[in-house]
Amino acid sequence: MTSPAPRAPKRARGDLFSPQCPTRRLLDRIGTKWTSMAVKVLAEAFPGEVRFAELQRRMAGVSQKMLSVTLQGLTRDGLVSRRVEPTVPPRVHYRLTELGLSLEAPLAMVRNWAEEHMAEIDRANELSGEHSAND
């Protein structure tokens, strides 16, 4: 009889309120509009891939450099996988990993909240601006 395979040690949960906690850096990366948009586009294609040019086309306003930096970070974090076809020029494809797909639902909730409440936020900003001018 063989013994069960050893389990990988469970990592400690982060503490957002600790200044040394890497959770803060992760939230900085996943909390951007470009990350949220990239994850949405890739989630819609899951389990398929999306080429770089198609991502840029679907994410109106993103520069090539900003999209590249965003995708590099998502790839480094294990949220996105990258595949390069050795053509001239190379064709680069991206897809969400299972971990990346697990991020779509929470980001979708934040995107939906923002879309639903944008008018209220705009009104509050306008009122705040009026009060600031009168102070």
Side-chain angles (χ1 to χ4, degrees):
M1 185 167 171
T2 62
S3 59
R7 291 185 187 183
K10 188 172 182 179
R11 295 212 158 197
R13 183 179 174 92
D15 178 5
L16 174 64
F17 293 97
S18 169
Q20 295 80 30
C21 183
T23 302
R24 290 181 177 203
R25 289 191 310 274
L26 180 58
L27 285 172
D28 282 343
R29 287 194 301 275
I30 65 174
T32 71
K33 65 184 171 192
W34 302 126
T35 292
S36 184
M37 291 170 75
V39 168
K40 179 177 175 52
V41 171
L42 292 170
E44 290 171 349
F46 189 84
E49 299 175 321
V50 180
R51 288 187 52 198
F52 184 93
E54 177 64 11
L55 275 165
Q56 189 173 19
R57 186 185 68 74
R58 301 258 325 263
M59 295 169 57
V62 70
S63 68
Q64 183 174 345
K65 178 174 176 50
M66 192 70 239
L67 180 56
S68 179
V69 166
T70 299
L71 291 169
Q72 286 171 8
L74 292 171
T75 301
R76 183 181 55 249
D77 291 338
L79 301 170
V80 168
S81 66
R82 180 179 186 264
R83 182 176 66 84
V84 180
E85 286 183 40
T87 58
V88 179
R91 290 188 183 130
V92 184
H93 304 262
Y94 295 89
R95 76 169 191 83
L96 284 181
T97 62
E98 291 292 332
L99 182 61
L101 187 61
S102 74
L103 181 59
E104 170 51 15
L107 288 180
M109 289 173 42
V110 172
R111 287 191 304 266
N112 289 335
W113 184 91
E115 290 172 349
E116 288 176 17
H117 296 284
M118 196 61 240
E120 294 169 74
I121 301 298
D122 280 344
R123 280 194 299 278
N125 279 303
E126 289 171 7
L127 289 173
S128 178
E130 290 173 13
H131 293 296
S132 296
N134 295 327
D135 289 341

